[in-house]
Amino acid sequence: MTESRRNAARPERLPSGRHHLSRDVVVASQRVRMLTATAEVMKEKGYAGTSVADIIRRAGVSRETFYQQFRSKEDCFVQALDAATHQLVGLLEAAWQQPPADAPRATPSPPPPTPEEIFRRLLRRYLHALAERSAFARLFLVEVYAAGPAATARRMEWQCRFADALAEIFPAGDEDDPDERRFGCEALVAAAAHMVTVRLVADDVAGLHALEAPLVRLAVRLLG
């Protein structure tokens, strides 16, 4: 992503001095700026190397403002993690409901997409979102391990939800063993997380997008 695109995605500061914005609007803007600053600074310096002072300097807020919304750096990290993951889940849910771009428009009732087609569509949106918002992606995939048990537990919760979604996309047959099926869903989530992490750390955007085809093949072999 170019610097101009990164700047375009960065939340703007509110006007200084007197203004007519409500307190809720001000607080919400400050919160978004602090969460965004957390992701940006930690991408550059890592969790351990980032201080509260780094975050408030990047966000353009006071230390008092920071502690009005967060108990600590770890609390801010966990909330940034949740905000980013909720946004990603929203994008994936929208992609799940949206018909594919190449679906025939003249057909009154097109056949429902296959599990492979649904998974491919969601995976493509997932990889695109990671590439577009790599700073937040690193929170979930890289820095989380340095952020303490609360952050790690939150990531495990989200990975379980992703495994649940896979089980819904690839429904089990009558002869499938439920435990083996669940293991396959969790294994696919873990494999995908590892592979995208390697490419995020290397800033390999092309390699990130190139994971689509092999991960779809893996999903079909494990769950199809």
Side-chain angles (χ1 to χ4, degrees):
M1 186 185 303
T2 65
E3 186 64 27
S4 62
R5 292 178 67 187
R6 280 195 295 268
N7 291 337
R10 186 173 298 143
E12 295 182 359
R13 297 186 184 185
L14 296 175
S16 59
R18 297 178 62 85
H19 54 70
H20 300 289
L21 299 174
S22 70
R23 175 63 181 164
D24 289 344
V25 170
V26 172
V27 169
S29 172
Q30 291 169 337
R31 179 180 181 81
V32 170
R33 293 195 336 252
M34 287 186 284
L35 296 179
T36 302
T38 298
E40 291 178 349
V41 177
M42 288 185 183
K43 181 179 180 181
E44 299 165 6
K45 305 176 71 171
Y47 180 86
T50 297
S51 65
V52 171
D54 293 324
I55 295 170
I56 63 177
R57 186 181 307 114
R58 180 68 63 91
V61 300
S62 67
R63 186 174 292 269
E64 179 183 6
T65 295
F66 180 89
Y67 285 108
Q68 285 173 347
Q69 299 205 35
F70 308 110
R71 296 187 304 273
S72 61
K73 180 178 78 170
E74 180 182 359
D75 181 40
C76 182
F77 178 94
V78 171
Q79 294 196 45
L81 184 69
D82 275 346
T85 311
H86 277 295
Q87 185 178 50
L88 174 61
V89 168
L91 291 173
L92 295 181
E93 288 178 345
W96 196 331
Q97 301 301 324
Q98 181 181 2
D102 57 353
R105 298 182 182 276
T107 305
S109 300
T114 66
E116 178 181 346
E117 290 169 339
I118 294 172
F119 179 72
R120 182 184 298 278
R121 187 194 316 163
L122 298 184
L123 178 62
R124 181 175 300 163
R125 191 69 190 89
Y126 172 71
L127 296 175
H128 179 77
L130 295 187
E132 286 288 300
R133 307 206 67 189
S134 61
F136 280 99
R138 284 180 65 96
L139 292 185
F140 186 80
L141 294 163
V142 181
E143 302 303 332
V144 65
Y145 294 109
T152 303
R154 194 62 55 88
R155 174 179 170 164
M156 294 303 103
E157 290 173 13
W158 281 111
Q159 290 209 163
C160 285
R161 295 185 192 186
F162 290 143
D164 292 341
L166 283 177
E168 188 173 348
I169 294 171
F170 294 95
D174 294 337
E175 298 181 0
D176 290 327
D177 180 89
D179 291 336
E180 287 293 324
R181 194 74 177 178
R182 181 66 187 185
F183 180 81
C185 292
E186 293 178 356
L188 180 57
V189 170
H194 172 74
M195 291 179 182
V196 299
T197 298
V198 170
R199 286 150 184 84
L200 277 172
V201 170
D203 284 327
D204 182 6
V205 175
L208 194 62
H209 289 296
L211 288 173
E212 178 184 325
L215 283 176
V216 169
R217 290 195 296 269
L218 178 62
V220 171
R221 285 201 299 270
L222 286 175
L223 306 171

